[in-house]
Amino acid sequence: MRLVIMGPPGAGKGTQSALISSKYGIPHVSTGDMFREILKRSDGLANRIRKYVESGELVPDELVVEMVRDRICRPDCEGGFILDGFPRTVAQAEALDRMLESAGKELNAVLYLRVSEEAVVRRLSRRRVCERCGAIYHLDYNPPKRPGVCDRCGGRLIQRDDDREEVIRERLRVYHEQTEPLINYYGEKGLLVEIDGCKEIHQVWEDVQRVLDPIASRGDC
Ligand code: ADP
Ligand code: AMP
């Protein structure tokens, strides 16, 4: 299955992508995670992208598109993937279409997690992530068993630098301006599946599986 998951920052894309990746056996390709990995280094590329990621702006399209092209050409993506955080602009979506077309492949579905702005702010301001494996927690809605420690790998849980109130506001502004047009873009292609992202994590997951199980069992993707 080749999937895109979209929605505002904090919609639950990373949370649902991890579940999807594990159940359906497809890699979770998160451009945000890839950028955060690059930022752990201090080379030229890290220096080029730092100011965008830290301020909640989008990294320039050509850089993101190249990074995704390299990633989805790797052998583990042969049987499909879930793209999380990409595309984020119409230009990126068009570039993805061209990439897939030249490989004779196509997207099976675009999951759109719809959530309210208040929910997003509540979720992001209390999100914690494992600095080692990237697992996602929430202090109230999905807390770790031991405070500050990742259940999965024992790594330290941290707050993302861009989960500060002023950066959250900017990321939401950028989302409305640059990413929301993709709802129409994929709607017109008949690929968009809207999912109520306001429900609890396990209920959203039920809804996601109800959409993906039939696609996965068709076996033509
Ligand atoms: P995104 O990848 O879209 O930015 P995340 O998956 O990181 O969003 O989720 C943002 C925060 O909200 C995390 O702290 C996560 O644990 C929490 N979360 C995710 N889905 C839900 C949900 N359905 N209900 C409540 N909290 C959620
Ligand atoms: P995320 O983890 O998806 O919230 O992304 C974190 C940050 O990485 C964003 O605020 C952007 O600065 C950058 N980023 C991630 N994906 C993209 C993308 N597709 N296009 C441009 N910038 C991106």
Side-chain angles (χ1 to χ4, degrees):
M1 267 191 300
R2 277 171 291 277
L3 306 171
V4 166
I5 190 163
M6 63 171 292
K13 302 183 295 295
T15 301
Q16 297 299 324
S17 295
L19 295 165
I20 292 168
S21 171
S22 153
K23 171 165 176 174
Y24 299 100
I26 49 176
H28 172 199
V29 177
S30 156
T31 45
D33 285 350
M34 291 162 89
F35 285 134
R36 281 183 289 280
E37 271 309 302
I38 293 170
L39 286 179
K40 289 179 184 166
R41 316 188 308 235
S42 53
D43 57 10
L45 181 57
N47 293 337
R48 263 184 85 188
I49 66 171
R50 190 174 313 276
K51 63 174 187 291
Y52 301 107
V53 177
E54 286 182 352
S55 62
E57 305 297 327
L58 295 186
V59 174
D61 285 339
E62 60 279 11
L63 256 167
V64 191
V65 167
E66 272 321 298
M67 185 176 77
V68 171
R69 192 195 311 278
D70 283 356
R71 179 67 190 87
I72 67 176
C73 282
R74 292 205 209 137
D76 65 329
C77 288
E78 190 56 40
F81 47 74
I82 173 143
L83 290 174
D84 161 13
F86 179 92
R88 252 180 163 95
T89 63
V90 170
Q92 290 179 16
E94 289 169 347
L96 176 63
D97 285 347
R98 287 193 295 274
M99 268 181 237
L100 291 172
E101 200 183 324
S102 68
K105 294 180 172 152
E106 52 187 26
L107 288 175
N108 299 104
V110 174
L111 305 177
Y112 164 47
L113 298 181
R114 195 173 31 77
V115 288
S116 68
E117 194 126 337
E118 307 90 83
V120 157
V121 176
R122 245 190 342 265
R123 288 180 186 184
L124 292 181
S125 53
R126 288 176 69 76
R127 168 162 67 183
R128 296 293 181 273
V129 293
C130 174
E131 66 176 354
R132 196 188 294 161
C133 75
I136 303 165
Y137 297 88
H138 189 279
L139 294 180
D140 311 304
Y141 307 134
N142 183 27
K145 293 195 179 74
R146 276 201 296 150
V149 181
C150 179
D151 296 348
R152 229 167 62 182
C153 76
R156 195 167 64 105
L157 301 187
I158 55 162
Q159 181 163 31
R160 272 171 50 172
D161 284 341
D162 59 353
D163 279 347
R164 285 175 291 119
E165 173 107 25
E166 67 278 16
V167 187
I168 293 173
R169 297 277 166 214
E170 178 60 10
R171 286 158 66 206
L172 281 169
R173 191 194 64 73
V174 169
Y175 172 78
H176 291 309
E177 189 183 288
Q178 308 218 45
T179 309
E180 234 166 26
L182 294 180
I183 297 169
N184 273 342
Y185 183 89
Y186 286 121
E188 281 166 10
K189 288 179 183 284
L191 286 170
L192 198 78
V193 183
E194 187 170 311
I195 290 178
D196 180 359
C198 290
K199 297 182 188 172
E200 288 181 19
I201 294 175
H202 72 276
Q203 291 173 320
V204 177
W205 174 226
E206 291 295 318
D207 293 347
V208 166
Q209 292 174 88
R210 213 166 293 128
V211 172
L212 296 185
D213 280 351
I215 300 177
S217 66
R218 277 210 306 262
D220 57 354
C221 49

Coordinates of all heavy atoms in Angstrom, one line a residue, residues 4-5 14 21 26-27 33 37 45 79 87 94 99 102 118 122 135 143 147 152 158-159 162 173 187 199 203 216:
V4 N -0.6 8.3 2.0 CA -0.2 9.6 2.6 C -1.1 9.8 3.8 O -2.3 9.5 3.7 CB -0.4 10.7 1.6 CG1 -0.3 12.1 2.3 CG2 0.7 10.6 0.5
I5 N -0.6 10.3 4.9 CA -1.4 10.7 6.0 C -1.2 12.2 6.2 O -0.1 12.7 6.3 CB -1.1 9.9 7.3 CG1 -2.2 10.2 8.4 CG2 0.2 10.1 7.9 CD1 -2.3 9.1 9.5
G14 N 1.7 10.9 13.4 CA 2.9 10.0 13.8 C 2.3 8.8 14.6 O 2.8 7.7 14.4
S21 N 2.2 1.2 10.2 CA 3.5 0.6 9.8 C 3.6 -0.8 10.4 O 4.0 -1.8 9.7 CB 4.6 1.5 10.2 OG 5.9 0.8 10.0
I26 N 4.6 -1.8 6.3 CA 5.1 -0.8 5.4 C 5.9 0.2 6.2 O 5.5 0.6 7.3 CB 4.0 -0.1 4.5 CG1 2.9 0.4 5.4 CG2 3.5 -1.0 3.5 CD1 1.8 1.2 4.6
P27 N 7.0 0.8 5.6 CA 7.8 1.7 6.4 C 7.1 3.0 6.6 O 6.4 3.5 5.7 CB 9.1 1.9 5.6 CG 8.9 1.2 4.3 CD 7.6 0.4 4.4
D33 N 10.7 13.5 11.1 CA 11.7 12.7 11.8 C 13.0 12.7 11.1 O 14.1 12.7 11.7 CB 11.2 11.2 11.9 CG 10.1 11.0 12.9 OD1 9.9 11.9 13.7 OD2 9.5 9.9 12.9
E37 N 16.6 14.0 12.6 CA 17.9 13.2 12.6 C 19.0 14.0 12.0 O 20.1 14.0 12.6 CB 17.7 11.9 11.7 CG 17.2 10.7 12.4 CD 17.9 10.4 13.7 OE1 19.1 10.2 13.6 OE2 17.3 10.3 14.8
L45 N 24.1 20.6 5.6 CA 22.7 20.4 5.4 C 21.9 20.8 6.7 O 20.9 21.5 6.6 CB 22.4 19.0 5.0 CG 21.0 18.6 4.7 CD1 20.4 19.5 3.6 CD2 20.8 17.1 4.3
G79 N 7.4 -2.5 -1.5 CA 6.0 -3.0 -1.3 C 5.0 -1.9 -0.7 O 3.9 -2.2 -0.3
P87 N 3.3 15.0 1.2 CA 3.6 16.4 0.8 C 2.9 17.4 1.7 O 1.9 17.2 2.4 CB 3.0 16.5 -0.6 CG 1.9 15.5 -0.6 CD 2.3 14.4 0.3
E94 N 2.7 17.6 -6.4 CA 2.9 17.4 -7.9 C 4.2 16.6 -8.1 O 4.3 15.7 -9.0 CB 2.9 18.7 -8.6 CG 1.5 19.3 -8.6 CD 1.5 20.8 -9.1 OE1 2.6 21.4 -9.2 OE2 0.4 21.3 -9.4
M99 N 7.1 11.4 -9.4 CA 7.9 10.3 -9.0 C 7.3 9.0 -9.1 O 7.8 8.0 -9.6 CB 8.2 10.5 -7.4 CG 9.4 11.3 -7.0 SD 9.4 11.2 -5.2 CE 9.4 12.9 -4.9
S102 N 6.6 8.0 -12.8 CA 7.8 7.5 -13.6 C 8.1 6.1 -13.1 O 8.8 5.4 -13.8 CB 8.9 8.5 -13.5 OG 9.4 8.5 -12.1
E118 N -8.2 23.7 19.0 CA -8.0 23.6 20.5 C -7.4 22.3 20.8 O -6.4 22.2 21.6 CB -9.3 23.7 21.3 CG -10.2 24.9 21.1 CD -11.2 24.5 19.9 OE1 -12.2 23.9 20.2 OE2 -10.9 24.9 18.8
R122 N -3.7 21.6 22.7 CA -3.7 20.7 23.9 C -2.7 19.5 23.7 O -2.0 19.1 24.6 CB -5.1 20.2 24.2 CG -5.7 20.7 25.5 CD -6.9 19.9 25.9 NE -7.7 19.2 24.9 CZ -8.7 19.7 24.2 NH1 -9.1 20.9 24.4 NH2 -9.4 18.9 23.4
A135 N 9.5 7.3 19.7 CA 8.1 6.9 20.1 C 7.4 8.2 20.7 O 8.0 9.0 21.3 CB 8.1 5.8 21.1
P143 N 0.3 8.4 28.4 CA 1.5 8.6 29.2 C 2.4 7.4 29.3 O 1.9 6.2 29.1 CB 0.9 8.9 30.6 CG -0.4 8.3 30.6 CD -0.9 8.2 29.2
P147 N 7.5 7.9 34.4 CA 7.6 9.2 33.9 C 9.0 9.5 33.3 O 10.0 9.1 33.9 CB 7.4 10.1 35.2 CG 6.7 9.2 36.2 CD 7.1 7.8 35.8
R152 N 9.2 1.6 25.2 CA 9.7 0.7 24.2 C 11.2 0.5 24.3 O 11.6 -0.7 24.2 CB 9.4 1.4 22.8 CG 8.7 0.4 21.9 CD 8.2 1.1 20.7 NE 9.2 1.8 19.8 CZ 8.9 2.5 18.8 NH1 7.7 2.6 18.4 NH2 9.9 3.1 18.1
I158 N 11.6 13.6 25.8 CA 11.9 15.1 25.7 C 10.7 15.8 25.1 O 9.9 15.2 24.4 CB 13.2 15.4 24.9 CG1 13.1 14.8 23.5 CG2 14.4 14.9 25.7 CD1 14.1 15.4 22.5
Q159 N 10.7 17.1 25.3 CA 9.7 17.9 24.6 C 10.4 18.5 23.3 O 11.6 19.0 23.4 CB 9.3 19.1 25.5 CG 8.2 20.0 24.8 CD 7.5 20.9 25.8 OE1 8.1 21.3 26.8 NE2 6.3 21.2 25.5
D162 N 10.1 22.6 18.8 CA 9.0 23.3 18.1 C 7.7 23.1 18.7 O 6.7 23.6 18.1 CB 9.1 23.0 16.6 CG 8.8 21.5 16.3 OD1 8.8 20.7 17.2 OD2 8.7 21.2 15.1
R173 N -0.3 28.3 11.3 CA -0.6 29.3 10.3 C 0.0 28.7 8.9 O -0.7 28.8 7.9 CB 0.2 30.6 10.6 CG -0.2 31.8 9.8 CD 0.8 32.9 9.9 NE 2.2 32.6 9.5 CZ 2.6 32.5 8.3 NH1 1.7 32.7 7.3 NH2 3.8 32.2 8.0
G187 N -8.8 15.4 -2.8 CA -10.3 15.2 -3.0 C -10.6 15.1 -4.4 O -11.4 14.2 -4.8
K199 N -11.4 11.7 18.1 CA -11.7 10.6 19.0 C -10.4 10.2 19.7 O -9.3 10.6 19.4 CB -12.2 9.4 18.2 CG -13.5 9.8 17.5 CD -14.0 8.5 16.8 CE -15.2 8.7 15.9 NZ -15.5 7.5 15.1
Q203 N -9.8 4.6 19.2 CA -11.0 4.7 18.3 C -10.6 5.2 16.9 O -11.1 4.7 15.9 CB -12.0 5.7 18.9 CG -12.6 5.1 20.2 CD -13.5 6.2 20.9 OE1 -13.2 7.4 20.9 NE2 -14.6 5.7 21.4
A216 N -5.8 -3.2 1.8 CA -4.7 -4.2 1.9 C -5.1 -5.6 1.4 O -4.3 -6.3 0.8 CB -4.3 -4.3 3.4

